[in-house]
Amino acid sequence: MGGVRTIARPRPARQEAAPPASPLPLDQIIQGDCIARMRALPDKSVDLIFADPPYNLQLGGELFRPDGTHVDAVTDDWDKFESLKTYDAFTRAWLAEAHRVLKDDGAIWVIGSYHNIFRVGVAVQDLGFWILNDIVWRKANPMPNFRGTRFTNAHETLIWASKGEKAKYTFNYRSMKTLNDELQMRSDWEFPICGGPERLKKDGHKVHPTQKPEALLYRVLLACTKPGDVVLDPFFGTGTTGAVAKRLRRRWIGIEREDGYIDAARARIAAALPLDESAIATMQSPRAQPKVAFGTLVETGYLAPGTMLSDAKRRFQAMVRVDGSLASVCGEVGSIHKLGCILQGTPACNGWTFWHHEADGRLQPIDTLRQTYLLATQP
Amino acid sequence: MGGVRTIARPRPARQEAAPPASPLPLDQIIQGDCIARMRALPDKSVDLIFADPPYNLQLGGELFRPDGTHVDAVTDDWDKFESLKTYDAFTRAWLAEAHRVLKDDGAIWVIGSYHNIFRVGVAVQDLGFWILNDIVWRKANPMPNFRGTRFTNAHETLIWASKGEKAKYTFNYRSMKTLNDELQMRSDWEFPICGGPERLKKDGHKVHPTQKPEALLYRVLLACTKPGDVVLDPFFGTGTTGAVAKRLRRRWIGIEREDGYIDAARARIAAALPLDESAIATMQSPRAQPKVAFGTLVETGYLAPGTMLSDAKRRFQAMVRVDGSLASVCGEVGSIHKLGCILQGTPACNGWTFWHHEADGRLQPIDTLRQTYLLATQP
DNA sequence: GAACTGAATGAATCGTGCC
DNA sequence: CGGCACGATTCATTCAGTT
């Protein structure tokens, strides 16, 4: 099973000091075909890829060759099987490059609709990516089905995948839980479609037909990257990914073919303001806090040797010993975690929340002592 | 684009008179492998297929909740496949048979999760089916992600497809709109997971690990079939499809391998009661209806179709129909508000406070049911 | 009997890091 | 690479048992 790379221990800052020389064209739009341009990027060099590929809507019969170039003059009698086959080849080609340029602990997001998402999903799996979730973007204000022939198409689907089954990946669990009112963030997200002042227009017409809302990218980048991480968007369009990345102080690379989109994206990103450093800080997993050994609490007098601990239901009791180990009334000994496992008969136990001590007339988890210690000793 | 076969023009009744001799094993469970058993069915013979195939979950080791209790996972042999390739071959084989036995104006529904739905979707498209919508079942009460490693997997995906791009299909647009508060039914549906008295148990244990809620099948069958239509379920399990089909006066055929599931399904379907004929009638008028928010209560079982309502003084009576419309004893039909207007001869009527149902031996306004529903489903 | 409390449970691809 | 210590992690609902 894969591993979650939480924002555990402080890593060398990449942005705060002088940015290290990078072989990557950071914070730039590269003009051209996404497959060809990705080929010019080094192996294992980006932390996250967000891709919003053509949906192959089969309305006007928009088609792409395996090299990503557009097929013109499609007629109604174009064979649908050929169309799907061609779209599959195109999808596999750009996803293969995406897999190559992704760091081993990176991840990819792809958005699509029922027209193309199944083909994208199969290609993702076949290339060795490991799907972590499929996410549903529920549109708060979708376009109705005017003819009354189907259900209102009110959502799009995103696939989130790590580089492989055993690969690590970044997931800022605490940030997501905080964002969702202290409940786990679910796989269905509701956002309005992109409109109002956020929607880029030129001469009264929308610049891009499928501009994505910034809120969507905000959640993706907040969940799966850290400040300074490099985000690649091979179908950059009008640069929603770049604008949000800049705002959240992530680095970005965009690939886009069309002049009109590139111009709009450049102006948009130039106008975007990075959030204040302090605003970028997110809720951290406990892992990110300095580690406190249970023995330290004994050593420093926060908990006296000889103190009796028990679980919340007072089924089990144990005594604190001078070295920070516990001894149960039955004679078993071990660390706070180990003894919790033994007594409960479970393979895992968090001793910090399992064991309680008597304070102010009631049982409190010993984790509160750890918090007190941290508050008292941290600057 | 396909054509919608609405229930506009009256067709010869199939059920009211003597049922015509059918080569199909109607209202029966056929024991055996679904591919082999489908081969014995004639070409173009069923109106709808609902399929809940194995998801190929590929679960790893044991999983424990934070409180140390064990999670009862799906470990059945029927969900194990050697590889994705094997799973693809299996999927294409049963879908090919499904395509053959389906009438030209029939349709198919398949449910799955991110583990398998992309592979299913590609097979559906490659076999010539034409996807009409993908539908998201949002679980009101999903199982959390206990390790905090991903987003809560809070939904499953259904694919709805016609037999081909130009094929006709049935879509009861009015029924869906009535059911959804006079708004077009969207592609995201919220239902609780199957539990409580609806969940089949034996010796205190669930009979089937993945029993689907009847509300889900209720909406599918109401949207896409007419009374008397034949519904085939090649992965019948404990017979949710059969039970709902019988309730809605549709014919059904189930294919299932395992004795335990078949026994449970037979008993369950035998106990299911077909709704009153008049309750089955669906709204056919294209006219706009006054706004109601009533269909959900019917769909979720807060108020059974066929229930008689009356006003507070018992001067007027009306029966609840499957799509949330009411039919008076005089034959008038309409939403709860509209029928109140008609019967009283008033220009406006709040159906929520006008209509009452018998509960605890006395009449209570149906608005109390709405309140109950809201209390039960809102955070 | 109503109200409250605690236990049980659901289609789940559910760790990291040191030695 | 394996083995093992450390320690991070849950929401809505139902149902049984108690007050």
mmCIF file of all heavy atoms in Angstrom, chain A residues 201-243:
data_model
loop_
_atom_site.group_PDB
_atom_site.id
_atom_site.type_symbol
_atom_site.label_atom_id
_atom_site.label_comp_id
_atom_site.label_asym_id
_atom_site.label_seq_id
_atom_site.Cartn_x
_atom_site.Cartn_y
_atom_site.Cartn_z
ATOM 1 N N LYS A 201 -13.261 37.270 -20.060
ATOM 2 C CA LYS A 201 -14.020 37.630 -21.253
ATOM 3 C C LYS A 201 -13.197 38.554 -22.141
ATOM 4 O O LYS A 201 -12.329 39.296 -21.661
ATOM 5 C CB LYS A 201 -15.314 38.339 -20.857
ATOM 6 C CG LYS A 201 -16.189 37.525 -19.931
ATOM 7 C CD LYS A 201 -17.637 37.502 -20.365
ATOM 8 C CE LYS A 201 -18.418 36.514 -19.548
ATOM 9 N NZ LYS A 201 -19.799 36.922 -19.350
ATOM 10 N N LYS A 202 -13.508 38.503 -23.413
ATOM 11 C CA LYS A 202 -12.890 39.422 -24.360
ATOM 12 C C LYS A 202 -13.959 39.810 -25.364
ATOM 13 O O LYS A 202 -14.600 38.923 -25.950
ATOM 14 C CB LYS A 202 -11.703 38.746 -25.060
ATOM 15 C CG LYS A 202 -10.896 39.717 -25.908
ATOM 16 C CD LYS A 202 -9.650 39.058 -26.491
ATOM 17 C CE LYS A 202 -8.831 40.087 -27.256
ATOM 18 N NZ LYS A 202 -7.686 39.487 -27.932
ATOM 19 N N ASP A 203 -14.149 41.085 -25.516
ATOM 20 C CA ASP A 203 -15.190 41.598 -26.412
ATOM 21 C C ASP A 203 -16.546 40.993 -26.064
ATOM 22 O O ASP A 203 -17.350 40.669 -26.940
ATOM 23 C CB ASP A 203 -14.852 41.283 -27.885
ATOM 24 C CG ASP A 203 -13.465 41.781 -28.252
ATOM 25 O OD1 ASP A 203 -13.053 42.806 -27.675
ATOM 26 O OD2 ASP A 203 -12.800 41.125 -29.082
ATOM 27 N N GLY A 204 -16.771 40.801 -24.787
ATOM 28 C CA GLY A 204 -18.066 40.279 -24.349
ATOM 29 C C GLY A 204 -18.224 38.776 -24.481
ATOM 30 O O GLY A 204 -19.241 38.227 -24.074
ATOM 31 N N HIS A 205 -17.229 38.114 -25.054
ATOM 32 C CA HIS A 205 -17.326 36.662 -25.198
ATOM 33 C C HIS A 205 -16.342 35.979 -24.262
ATOM 34 O O HIS A 205 -15.252 36.490 -24.014
ATOM 35 C CB HIS A 205 -17.030 36.261 -26.643
ATOM 36 C CG HIS A 205 -17.985 36.860 -27.627
ATOM 37 N ND1 HIS A 205 -19.299 36.460 -27.707
ATOM 38 C CD2 HIS A 205 -17.832 37.856 -28.541
ATOM 39 C CE1 HIS A 205 -19.914 37.173 -28.653
ATOM 40 N NE2 HIS A 205 -19.047 38.031 -29.168
ATOM 41 N N LYS A 206 -16.720 34.796 -23.777
ATOM 42 C CA LYS A 206 -15.791 34.088 -22.902
ATOM 43 C C LYS A 206 -14.551 33.687 -23.689
ATOM 44 O O LYS A 206 -14.643 33.257 -24.837
ATOM 45 C CB LYS A 206 -16.454 32.888 -22.240
ATOM 46 C CG LYS A 206 -17.253 31.989 -23.157
ATOM 47 C CD LYS A 206 -18.110 31.019 -22.334
ATOM 48 C CE LYS A 206 -18.946 30.126 -23.245
ATOM 49 N NZ LYS A 206 -19.984 29.393 -22.513
ATOM 50 N N VAL A 207 -13.399 33.820 -23.028
ATOM 51 C CA VAL A 207 -12.132 33.532 -23.699
ATOM 52 C C VAL A 207 -11.966 32.039 -23.916
ATOM 53 O O VAL A 207 -11.500 31.592 -24.954
ATOM 54 C CB VAL A 207 -10.946 34.089 -22.871
ATOM 55 C CG1 VAL A 207 -9.620 33.713 -23.502
ATOM 56 C CG2 VAL A 207 -11.070 35.606 -22.729
ATOM 57 N N HIS A 208 -12.361 31.249 -22.923
ATOM 58 C CA HIS A 208 -12.180 29.795 -22.990
ATOM 59 C C HIS A 208 -13.518 29.122 -22.678
ATOM 60 O O HIS A 208 -14.212 29.529 -21.747
ATOM 61 C CB HIS A 208 -11.108 29.365 -21.975
ATOM 62 C CG HIS A 208 -10.596 27.963 -22.182
ATOM 63 N ND1 HIS A 208 -11.320 26.853 -21.837
ATOM 64 C CD2 HIS A 208 -9.427 27.503 -22.710
ATOM 65 C CE1 HIS A 208 -10.616 25.770 -22.127
ATOM 66 N NE2 HIS A 208 -9.470 26.141 -22.663
ATOM 67 N N PRO A 209 -13.888 28.114 -23.437
ATOM 68 C CA PRO A 209 -15.223 27.525 -23.251
ATOM 69 C C PRO A 209 -15.385 26.746 -21.950
ATOM 70 O O PRO A 209 -16.504 26.572 -21.474
ATOM 71 C CB PRO A 209 -15.363 26.591 -24.457
ATOM 72 C CG PRO A 209 -13.962 26.264 -24.862
ATOM 73 C CD PRO A 209 -13.158 27.497 -24.562
ATOM 74 N N THR A 210 -14.267 26.268 -21.401
ATOM 75 C CA THR A 210 -14.409 25.386 -20.237
ATOM 76 C C THR A 210 -13.498 25.831 -19.092
ATOM 77 O O THR A 210 -12.878 25.000 -18.430
ATOM 78 C CB THR A 210 -14.068 23.926 -20.603
ATOM 79 O OG1 THR A 210 -12.683 23.853 -20.973
ATOM 80 C CG2 THR A 210 -14.909 23.426 -21.751
ATOM 81 N N GLN A 211 -13.441 27.144 -18.866
ATOM 82 C CA GLN A 211 -12.608 27.651 -17.767
ATOM 83 C C GLN A 211 -13.080 27.064 -16.430
ATOM 84 O O GLN A 211 -14.265 27.111 -16.094
ATOM 85 C CB GLN A 211 -12.693 29.180 -17.734
ATOM 86 C CG GLN A 211 -11.785 29.816 -16.696
ATOM 87 C CD GLN A 211 -11.939 31.342 -16.652
ATOM 88 O OE1 GLN A 211 -12.387 31.958 -17.625
ATOM 89 N NE2 GLN A 211 -11.595 31.935 -15.532
ATOM 90 N N LYS A 212 -12.147 26.517 -15.662
ATOM 91 C CA LYS A 212 -12.502 25.869 -14.393
ATOM 92 C C LYS A 212 -12.487 26.885 -13.263
ATOM 93 O O LYS A 212 -11.709 27.832 -13.280
ATOM 94 C CB LYS A 212 -11.508 24.742 -14.083
ATOM 95 C CG LYS A 212 -11.539 23.597 -15.097
ATOM 96 C CD LYS A 212 -12.847 22.850 -15.035
ATOM 97 C CE LYS A 212 -12.936 21.756 -16.094
ATOM 98 N NZ LYS A 212 -13.118 22.286 -17.465
ATOM 99 N N PRO A 213 -13.341 26.680 -12.266
ATOM 100 C CA PRO A 213 -13.360 27.617 -11.131
ATOM 101 C C PRO A 213 -12.078 27.521 -10.302
ATOM 102 O O PRO A 213 -11.542 26.430 -10.111
ATOM 103 C CB PRO A 213 -14.578 27.170 -10.316
ATOM 104 C CG PRO A 213 -14.856 25.773 -10.737
ATOM 105 C CD PRO A 213 -14.356 25.626 -12.143
ATOM 106 N N GLU A 214 -11.622 28.659 -9.825
ATOM 107 C CA GLU A 214 -10.396 28.657 -9.024
ATOM 108 C C GLU A 214 -10.578 27.877 -7.726
ATOM 109 O O GLU A 214 -9.624 27.300 -7.205
ATOM 110 C CB GLU A 214 -9.961 30.104 -8.738
ATOM 111 C CG GLU A 214 -9.575 30.858 -9.999
ATOM 112 C CD GLU A 214 -8.737 32.107 -9.718
ATOM 113 O OE1 GLU A 214 -8.441 32.378 -8.536
ATOM 114 O OE2 GLU A 214 -8.386 32.796 -10.682
ATOM 115 N N ALA A 215 -11.797 27.851 -7.218
ATOM 116 C CA ALA A 215 -12.044 27.133 -5.964
ATOM 117 C C ALA A 215 -11.664 25.659 -6.089
ATOM 118 O O ALA A 215 -11.182 25.040 -5.144
ATOM 119 C CB ALA A 215 -13.516 27.254 -5.568
ATOM 120 N N LEU A 216 -11.910 25.100 -7.274
ATOM 121 C CA LEU A 216 -11.585 23.691 -7.508
ATOM 122 C C LEU A 216 -10.073 23.474 -7.407
ATOM 123 O O LEU A 216 -9.602 22.552 -6.728
ATOM 124 C CB LEU A 216 -12.106 23.295 -8.887
ATOM 125 C CG LEU A 216 -12.019 21.843 -9.306
ATOM 126 C CD1 LEU A 216 -12.971 20.990 -8.499
ATOM 127 C CD2 LEU A 216 -12.346 21.712 -10.794
ATOM 128 N N LEU A 217 -9.315 24.332 -8.092
ATOM 129 C CA LEU A 217 -7.849 24.192 -8.056
ATOM 130 C C LEU A 217 -7.307 24.497 -6.667
ATOM 131 O O LEU A 217 -6.325 23.899 -6.219
ATOM 132 C CB LEU A 217 -7.218 25.132 -9.081
ATOM 133 C CG LEU A 217 -7.013 24.573 -10.488
ATOM 134 C CD1 LEU A 217 -5.972 23.463 -10.473
ATOM 135 C CD2 LEU A 217 -8.309 24.032 -11.067
ATOM 136 N N TYR A 218 -7.936 25.437 -6.007
ATOM 137 C CA TYR A 218 -7.521 25.796 -4.650
ATOM 138 C C TYR A 218 -7.556 24.563 -3.752
ATOM 139 O O TYR A 218 -6.602 24.260 -3.038
ATOM 140 C CB TYR A 218 -8.470 26.878 -4.137
ATOM 141 C CG TYR A 218 -8.134 27.455 -2.792
ATOM 142 C CD1 TYR A 218 -7.453 28.663 -2.691
ATOM 143 C CD2 TYR A 218 -8.515 26.819 -1.621
ATOM 144 C CE1 TYR A 218 -7.161 29.212 -1.453
ATOM 145 C CE2 TYR A 218 -8.227 27.352 -0.382
ATOM 146 C CZ TYR A 218 -7.549 28.549 -0.302
ATOM 147 O OH TYR A 218 -7.255 29.089 0.915
ATOM 148 N N ARG A 219 -8.651 23.824 -3.830
ATOM 149 C CA ARG A 219 -8.763 22.646 -2.966
ATOM 150 C C ARG A 219 -7.759 21.574 -3.365
ATOM 151 O O ARG A 219 -7.150 20.926 -2.503
ATOM 152 C CB ARG A 219 -10.187 22.086 -2.982
ATOM 153 C CG ARG A 219 -10.375 20.995 -1.937
ATOM 154 C CD ARG A 219 -11.805 20.537 -1.793
ATOM 155 N NE ARG A 219 -12.680 21.571 -1.242
ATOM 156 C CZ ARG A 219 -13.976 21.412 -1.032
ATOM 157 N NH1 ARG A 219 -14.547 20.249 -1.328
ATOM 158 N NH2 ARG A 219 -14.710 22.383 -0.525
ATOM 159 N N VAL A 220 -7.582 21.373 -4.661
ATOM 160 C CA VAL A 220 -6.639 20.353 -5.129
ATOM 161 C C VAL A 220 -5.216 20.682 -4.669
ATOM 162 O O VAL A 220 -4.519 19.836 -4.104
ATOM 163 C CB VAL A 220 -6.692 20.238 -6.667
ATOM 164 C CG1 VAL A 220 -5.520 19.407 -7.184
ATOM 165 C CG2 VAL A 220 -8.009 19.629 -7.115
ATOM 166 N N LEU A 221 -4.813 21.927 -4.883
ATOM 167 C CA LEU A 221 -3.431 22.292 -4.533
ATOM 168 C C LEU A 221 -3.231 22.325 -3.025
ATOM 169 O O LEU A 221 -2.170 21.946 -2.513
ATOM 170 C CB LEU A 221 -3.072 23.647 -5.157
ATOM 171 C CG LEU A 221 -3.072 23.707 -6.682
ATOM 172 C CD1 LEU A 221 -2.482 25.020 -7.168
ATOM 173 C CD2 LEU A 221 -2.314 22.533 -7.281
ATOM 174 N N LEU A 222 -4.234 22.777 -2.302
ATOM 175 C CA LEU A 222 -4.107 22.805 -0.847
ATOM 176 C C LEU A 222 -4.015 21.388 -0.279
ATOM 177 O O LEU A 222 -3.286 21.128 0.672
ATOM 178 C CB LEU A 222 -5.308 23.536 -0.235
ATOM 179 C CG LEU A 222 -5.170 23.989 1.206
ATOM 180 C CD1 LEU A 222 -4.024 24.976 1.354
ATOM 181 C CD2 LEU A 222 -6.470 24.620 1.691
ATOM 182 N N ALA A 223 -4.735 20.467 -0.890
ATOM 183 C CA ALA A 223 -4.762 19.091 -0.383
ATOM 184 C C ALA A 223 -3.466 18.344 -0.704
ATOM 185 O O ALA A 223 -3.002 17.549 0.102
ATOM 186 C CB ALA A 223 -5.954 18.331 -0.966
ATOM 187 N N CYS A 224 -2.885 18.598 -1.870
ATOM 188 C CA CYS A 224 -1.859 17.687 -2.393
ATOM 189 C C CYS A 224 -0.498 18.302 -2.655
ATOM 190 O O CYS A 224 0.365 17.644 -3.240
ATOM 191 C CB CYS A 224 -2.372 17.023 -3.674
ATOM 192 S SG CYS A 224 -3.860 16.047 -3.381
ATOM 193 N N THR A 225 -0.289 19.558 -2.278
ATOM 194 C CA THR A 225 1.047 20.149 -2.442
ATOM 195 C C THR A 225 1.430 20.925 -1.198
ATOM 196 O O THR A 225 0.586 21.242 -0.358
ATOM 197 C CB THR A 225 1.107 21.113 -3.640
ATOM 198 O OG1 THR A 225 0.196 22.202 -3.417
ATOM 199 C CG2 THR A 225 0.750 20.422 -4.935
ATOM 200 N N LYS A 226 2.724 21.238 -1.115
ATOM 201 C CA LYS A 226 3.242 22.100 -0.057
ATOM 202 C C LYS A 226 3.727 23.392 -0.707
ATOM 203 O O LYS A 226 3.995 23.408 -1.910
ATOM 204 C CB LYS A 226 4.398 21.407 0.657
ATOM 205 C CG LYS A 226 4.019 20.073 1.260
ATOM 206 C CD LYS A 226 5.210 19.355 1.852
ATOM 207 C CE LYS A 226 6.256 19.028 0.806
ATOM 208 N NZ LYS A 226 5.755 18.275 -0.352
ATOM 209 N N PRO A 227 3.876 24.453 0.062
ATOM 210 C CA PRO A 227 4.419 25.683 -0.520
ATOM 211 C C PRO A 227 5.750 25.400 -1.203
ATOM 212 O O PRO A 227 6.580 24.658 -0.673
ATOM 213 C CB PRO A 227 4.586 26.598 0.696
ATOM 214 C CG PRO A 227 3.562 26.111 1.681
ATOM 215 C CD PRO A 227 3.494 24.624 1.481
ATOM 216 N N GLY A 228 5.954 25.953 -2.378
ATOM 217 C CA GLY A 228 7.191 25.739 -3.117
ATOM 218 C C GLY A 228 7.162 24.555 -4.056
ATOM 219 O O GLY A 228 8.037 24.435 -4.907
ATOM 220 N N ASP A 229 6.179 23.670 -3.921
ATOM 221 C CA ASP A 229 6.083 22.523 -4.832
ATOM 222 C C ASP A 229 5.847 23.000 -6.266
ATOM 223 O O ASP A 229 5.283 24.070 -6.496
ATOM 224 C CB ASP A 229 4.916 21.604 -4.416
ATOM 225 C CG ASP A 229 5.336 20.592 -3.355
ATOM 226 O OD1 ASP A 229 6.511 20.612 -2.947
ATOM 227 O OD2 ASP A 229 4.479 19.788 -2.934
ATOM 228 N N VAL A 230 6.269 22.164 -7.204
ATOM 229 C CA VAL A 230 6.117 22.500 -8.624
ATOM 230 C C VAL A 230 4.898 21.786 -9.202
ATOM 231 O O VAL A 230 4.782 20.564 -9.118
ATOM 232 C CB VAL A 230 7.375 22.095 -9.422
ATOM 233 C CG1 VAL A 230 7.165 22.357 -10.910
ATOM 234 C CG2 VAL A 230 8.590 22.844 -8.899
ATOM 235 N N VAL A 231 3.980 22.576 -9.772
ATOM 236 C CA VAL A 231 2.747 22.042 -10.356
ATOM 237 C C VAL A 231 2.795 22.228 -11.872
ATOM 238 O O VAL A 231 2.984 23.348 -12.354
ATOM 239 C CB VAL A 231 1.512 22.771 -9.792
ATOM 240 C CG1 VAL A 231 0.243 22.197 -10.392
ATOM 241 C CG2 VAL A 231 1.496 22.701 -8.279
ATOM 242 N N LEU A 232 2.621 21.127 -12.591
ATOM 243 C CA LEU A 232 2.602 21.185 -14.054
ATOM 244 C C LEU A 232 1.182 21.027 -14.573
ATOM 245 O O LEU A 232 0.461 20.123 -14.152
ATOM 246 C CB LEU A 232 3.481 20.053 -14.619
ATOM 247 C CG LEU A 232 3.353 19.777 -16.123
ATOM 248 C CD1 LEU A 232 3.887 20.944 -16.946
ATOM 249 C CD2 LEU A 232 4.077 18.482 -16.492
ATOM 250 N N ASP A 233 0.783 21.922 -15.490
ATOM 251 C CA ASP A 233 -0.525 21.788 -16.147
ATOM 252 C C ASP A 233 -0.309 21.712 -17.645
ATOM 253 O O ASP A 233 -0.017 22.710 -18.293
ATOM 254 C CB ASP A 233 -1.423 22.978 -15.788
ATOM 255 C CG ASP A 233 -2.831 22.802 -16.339
ATOM 256 O OD1 ASP A 233 -3.005 22.067 -17.337
ATOM 257 O OD2 ASP A 233 -3.770 23.399 -15.775
ATOM 258 N N PRO A 234 -0.429 20.522 -18.243
ATOM 259 C CA PRO A 234 -0.136 20.352 -19.663
ATOM 260 C C PRO A 234 -1.235 20.879 -20.583
ATOM 261 O O PRO A 234 -1.037 20.933 -21.794
ATOM 262 C CB PRO A 234 0.024 18.840 -19.813
ATOM 263 C CG PRO A 234 -0.704 18.243 -18.662
ATOM 264 C CD PRO A 234 -0.748 19.256 -17.564
ATOM 265 N N PHE A 235 -2.399 21.202 -20.037
ATOM 266 C CA PHE A 235 -3.481 21.793 -20.836
ATOM 267 C C PHE A 235 -3.886 23.085 -20.138
ATOM 268 O O PHE A 235 -4.952 23.196 -19.548
ATOM 269 C CB PHE A 235 -4.659 20.821 -20.944
ATOM 270 C CG PHE A 235 -4.280 19.477 -21.493
ATOM 271 C CD1 PHE A 235 -3.990 18.411 -20.630
ATOM 272 C CD2 PHE A 235 -4.196 19.255 -22.866
ATOM 273 C CE1 PHE A 235 -3.641 17.168 -21.129
ATOM 274 C CE2 PHE A 235 -3.846 18.020 -23.367
ATOM 275 C CZ PHE A 235 -3.564 16.963 -22.498
ATOM 276 N N PHE A 236 -2.985 24.069 -20.231
ATOM 277 C CA PHE A 236 -3.030 25.222 -19.339
ATOM 278 C C PHE A 236 -4.235 26.123 -19.577
ATOM 279 O O PHE A 236 -4.756 26.718 -18.637
ATOM 280 C CB PHE A 236 -1.742 26.027 -19.527
ATOM 281 C CG PHE A 236 -1.379 26.912 -18.375
ATOM 282 C CD1 PHE A 236 -1.196 26.378 -17.104
ATOM 283 C CD2 PHE A 236 -1.189 28.271 -18.550
ATOM 284 C CE1 PHE A 236 -0.835 27.186 -16.032
ATOM 285 C CE2 PHE A 236 -0.824 29.087 -17.486
ATOM 286 C CZ PHE A 236 -0.653 28.544 -16.225
ATOM 287 N N GLY A 237 -4.671 26.225 -20.834
ATOM 288 C CA GLY A 237 -5.825 27.072 -21.136
ATOM 289 C C GLY A 237 -5.581 28.494 -20.685
ATOM 290 O O GLY A 237 -4.537 29.084 -20.977
ATOM 291 N N THR A 238 -6.534 29.050 -19.935
ATOM 292 C CA THR A 238 -6.392 30.431 -19.480
ATOM 293 C C THR A 238 -5.733 30.525 -18.115
ATOM 294 O O THR A 238 -5.824 31.546 -17.440
ATOM 295 C CB THR A 238 -7.754 31.131 -19.465
ATOM 296 O OG1 THR A 238 -8.698 30.290 -18.788
ATOM 297 C CG2 THR A 238 -8.241 31.389 -20.881
ATOM 298 N N GLY A 239 -5.093 29.422 -17.673
ATOM 299 C CA GLY A 239 -4.174 29.516 -16.547
ATOM 300 C C GLY A 239 -4.771 29.507 -15.148
ATOM 301 O O GLY A 239 -4.177 30.058 -14.224
ATOM 302 N N THR A 240 -5.900 28.841 -14.973
ATOM 303 C CA THR A 240 -6.469 28.747 -13.628
ATOM 304 C C THR A 240 -5.464 28.115 -12.669
ATOM 305 O O THR A 240 -5.272 28.590 -11.540
ATOM 306 C CB THR A 240 -7.760 27.905 -13.651
ATOM 307 O OG1 THR A 240 -8.659 28.465 -14.605
ATOM 308 C CG2 THR A 240 -8.429 27.880 -12.281
ATOM 309 N N THR A 241 -4.801 27.050 -13.139
ATOM 310 C CA THR A 241 -3.816 26.373 -12.296
ATOM 311 C C THR A 241 -2.690 27.320 -11.888
ATOM 312 O O THR A 241 -2.275 27.363 -10.726
ATOM 313 C CB THR A 241 -3.235 25.157 -13.032
ATOM 314 O OG1 THR A 241 -4.316 24.278 -13.387
ATOM 315 C CG2 THR A 241 -2.231 24.412 -12.167
ATOM 316 N N GLY A 242 -2.196 28.097 -12.837
ATOM 317 C CA GLY A 242 -1.103 29.029 -12.539
ATOM 318 C C GLY A 242 -1.524 30.120 -11.578
ATOM 319 O O GLY A 242 -0.779 30.477 -10.653
ATOM 320 N N ALA A 243 -2.737 30.651 -11.783
ATOM 321 C CA ALA A 243 -3.207 31.738 -10.921
ATOM 322 C C ALA A 243 -3.342 31.259 -9.473
ATOM 323 O O ALA A 243 -2.928 31.947 -8.529
ATOM 324 C CB ALA A 243 -4.537 32.276 -11.436
#
